[in-house]
Amino acid sequence: SPGLPSYTMDQIREHDSSEKRIWMTYRQGVYDVTDFVNRHPGGDNIMLAAGGATDPFWNLYAIHKEPHVLKILAKYRIGNISEEEAKSQVEGMEDAYSNEPKRHPSLKPASKTPFNAEPPMEILADSFITPNDLFYVRNHLPVPDIKEDEYELEFEGEPGSKTITLSLSDLKKLPKTTVTAVLQCAGNRRGELIEIKPVRGLVWNAGAIGNARWTGVRLTDFLKSVGVDPAKVKATQIQFDGYDTDPTGKTYGASVPADKALDPKSEVILAYEMNDEPLSRDHGFPVRVIVPGVVAARSVKWLNRISFSDEESWSFWQRQDYKGFSPSQEAEGADFSKAMSIQEMPVTSAFTYPKNGSKVRVKNGKISAKGYAWSGGGRPIIRVDISADGGKTWYVANMDKREPKCEGTYSFCWSWTLWSAEIPTPKGVHEAELMVKAIDASYNSQPDTTANIWNFRGVLSNAYHRVVVKMFT
Ligand code: MTE
Ligand code: MO
């Protein structure tokens, strides 16, 4: 903005409190946000950028770069910084991403720094176990580079007790178990909500989900090894912190209610292998938590610390994110403290074939389809229904592959169900919208349309999955 005064970063750094006024920069703009901080939907987090650049945070807390946010910001503009200084702020942020691992070229990035990507939908249901290189990646921060023999896991039990530190080889001496479990991002299928109204967050298709064999130590076995009886723990929350940090040193963290995490049947594990290989850097090397049946945000990667508490984790991602709201709640004014953190996820299903907008061959009057279905809390899928005529007729899909332990229970089924179907199509029909819905062992099913579950953060998107296809013979 010409006409506004120019400032140096040194001058801006002086303005880091309400008394001295709170200034920050975005690109070349200087903003006095003193009067906005109390209304910031992300609460105090805005103060992380006080007296400095907001750019690095905007990339991490990926909810900002939208026209309406820029419009709010514009009201507070008071000046400019030089082009060189703006560039060096941005370079500083990119430096944090100079040591990222290599990724498989077929992972389609929704964002590059931090790295977030899902595999092509058409391969997702080709294998019951998602290959490591094709498993979606969801990072909020730069990937830590941890040396195996330098790795330390800290444990602090009931509040006030002494912190114990363990190495990877200490962990590997404990009983080894494997659990096959789905990880699904809360934002999986967010892309469908965007068709109703814009949302904040990465645009995921239906591939922010995968099913893997996780090997490591059961949390309950770990606790026993450090002298804690899981049945006697008084704390109500188990907190996990990662080694990944934002520019101010705040770590990624999450928590799980103790009654869930400490029940041996929940099979929460500290995993060091994924599909019989050491974890890759993107998936949490050398140790991550796996909380089966729960939103993947709680399966903390690069695990640094386990602690007991009577409070949920104070991490941004536990308190200010990963919560559901009414469709009428706008981002501005949303009270995160009153909304429940997502833990167990609702039932979902999706087509991996055919692809939306594709052409499919009709064989013997039928078209084929396949995909996945899954529900949170270990609830097995009991049926998958498909319609090609707007819901007038429903066909029951074949459930082709799931864990044997998913049979005949109400719970403890952590893996997904892969299904396929041959759907009859009337002669002379050349285009159809296919719909799929799954039903879990609690007879929960999916909502039929996205409109009534829209939420500004774009989480929990589990309406009937729909694909429109053209048919030929
Ligand atoms: N743990 C740490 N330390 N840092 C993270 O950014 N992302 C979480 C979770 N654990 C995250 C983390 C989220 S939101 C998801 S969806 C899963 O990891 C993704 O796991 P994946 O990348 O192995 O698929
Ligand atoms: Mo996620």
Side-chain angles (χ1 to χ4, degrees):
S1 288
L4 289 178
S6 289
Y7 297 101
T8 63
M9 287 311 286
D10 285 334
Q11 288 173 305
I12 290 154
R13 257 187 290 281
E14 316 241 299
H15 296 274
D16 60 356
S17 65
S18 337
E19 297 78 59
K20 294 184 256 173
R21 307 291 299 171
I22 301 159
W23 291 11
M24 39 191 77
T25 67
Y26 175 65
R27 301 207 170 144
Q28 268 187 266
V30 179
Y31 302 87
D32 181 337
V33 296
T34 320
D35 301 325
F36 175 70
V37 289
N38 291 330
R39 279 182 282 136
H40 182 241
D44 282 352
N45 276 296
I46 192 173
M47 291 306 289
L48 297 174
T54 54
D55 310 57
F57 300 98
W58 279 30
N59 267 31
L60 302 180
Y61 305 107
I63 47 179
H64 292 97
K65 283 188 196 158
E66 285 170 51
H68 79 276
V69 178
L70 295 170
K71 227 160 129 195
I72 295 173
L73 195 62
K75 287 189 259 175
Y76 300 101
R77 186 148 182 178
I78 53 163
N80 303 302
I81 54 171
S82 69
E83 204 175 313
E84 297 77 72
E85 281 203 299
K87 244 200 194 144
S88 87
Q89 299 305 318
V90 172
E91 273 158 17
M93 145 190 126
E94 276 163 7
D95 277 354
Y97 292 98
S98 60
N99 183 21
E100 294 279 287
K102 289 229 170 359
R103 279 100 184 195
H104 194 281
S106 71
L107 281 180
K108 291 188 252 167
S111 111
K112 283 184 179 155
T113 52
F115 188 77
N116 289 287
E118 65 186 301
M121 283 303 288
E122 53 272 30
I123 59 130
L124 196 55
D126 281 351
S127 125
F128 180 66
I129 296 294
T130 314
N132 291 358
D133 284 352
L134 297 175
F135 202 100
Y136 83 95
V137 176
R138 205 302 176 225
N139 296 335
H140 291 87
L141 299 161
V143 176
D145 191 0
I146 302 170
K147 302 282 164 280
E148 192 166 335
D149 49 3
E150 288 168 11
Y151 173 74
E152 288 184 344
L153 171 62
E154 291 166 20
F155 168 72
E156 190 193 323
E158 302 288 358
S161 58
K162 212 175 112 231
T163 298
I164 300 171
T165 303
L166 289 95
S167 67
L168 184 61
S169 60
D170 293 335
L171 273 185
K172 286 189 174 169
K173 282 178 202 136
L174 301 176
K176 191 173 173 178
T177 48
T178 296
V179 54
T180 303
V182 154
L183 285 185
Q184 179 181 226
C185 187
N188 191 32
R189 301 183 54 198
R190 177 177 287 135
E192 295 159 57
L193 298 183
I194 292 168
E195 287 164 19
I196 305 287
K197 233 189 324 176
V199 298
R200 300 184 163 196
L202 299 167
V203 182
W204 292 111
N205 192 1
I209 185 170
N211 188 47
R213 284 165 46 82
W214 307 98
T215 300
V217 182
R218 233 174 240 185
L219 178 62
T220 48
D221 288 338
F222 165 80
L223 292 176
K224 284 181 211 153
S225 81
V226 292
V228 173
D229 179 349
K232 292 192 179 139
V233 172
K234 289 201 190 74
T236 56
Q237 298 285 332
I238 311 299
Q239 300 190 356
F240 304 109
D241 288 289
Y243 269 103
D244 46 340
T245 54
D246 79 6
T248 61
K250 276 199 183 173
T251 61
Y252 184 90
S255 55
V256 178
D259 54 2
K260 164 83 188 177
L262 301 179
D263 182 346
K265 286 185 179 155
S266 297
E267 299 190 87
V268 173
I269 64 171
L270 313 179
Y272 47 79
E273 286 173 15
M274 177 177 183
N275 298 332
D276 309 309
E277 282 173 30
L279 288 177
S280 66
R281 276 183 63 205
D282 265 333
H283 295 296
F285 182 84
V287 179
R288 80 176 300 169
V289 183
I290 292 292
V291 188
V294 159
V295 67
R298 315 299 171 219
S299 287
V300 172
K301 305 194 272 191
W302 314 290
L303 180 63
N304 174 9
R305 185 179 171 83
I306 303 173
S307 51
F308 293 175
S309 178
D310 286 331
E311 294 185 321
E312 284 191 86
S313 165
W314 282 92
S315 153
F316 175 87
W317 294 279
Q318 187 76 30
R319 301 251 172 178
Q320 243 96 35
D321 203 350
Y322 296 119
K323 295 186 173 192
F325 288 91
S326 149
S328 300
Q329 178 66 59
E330 298 294 336
E332 234 177 315
D335 186 351
F336 275 89
S337 72
K338 294 225 166 72
M340 189 194 147
S341 311
I342 302 170
Q343 295 284 350
E344 292 180 357
M345 299 252 329
V347 58
T348 191
S349 62
F351 292 101
T352 59
Y353 179 89
K355 235 175 136 159
N356 193 24
S358 63
K359 291 191 177 126
V360 294
R361 183 184 293 278
V362 181
K363 265 194 225 155
N364 306 325
K366 291 174 179 173
I367 56 172
S368 44
K370 65 176 179 173
Y372 65 77
W374 181 76
S375 187
R379 289 179 285 278
I381 297 300
I382 58 163
R383 203 179 72 229
V384 177
D385 296 335
I386 318 266
S387 176
D389 61 3
K392 282 196 236 62
T393 322
W394 290 95
Y395 298 94
V396 175
N398 299 314
M399 299 203 280
D400 299 326
K401 185 74 185 125
R402 56 184 185 164
E403 285 282 279
K405 74 169 180 189
C406 296
E407 310 290 336
T409 68
Y410 295 111
S411 212
F412 318 117
C413 170
W414 315 121
S415 66
W416 61 14
T417 296
L418 298 184
W419 54 263
S420 63
E422 301 293 323
I423 313 157
T425 55
K427 274 208 187 82
V429 174
H430 300 294
E431 191 177 291
E433 183 186 55
L434 309 184
M435 308 193 292
V436 58
K437 64 176 159 94
I439 295 101
D440 74 16
S442 301
Y443 277 101
N444 290 312
S445 187
Q446 302 173 229
D448 58 356
T449 60
T450 47
N452 300 323
I453 56 165
W454 184 93
N455 59 93
F456 72 86
R457 196 53 189 94
V459 291
L460 305 162
S461 174
N462 74 328
Y464 296 2
H465 192 232
R466 295 157 191 261
V467 291
V468 175
V469 293
K470 291 216 157 59
M471 296 178 284
F472 65 95
T473 41

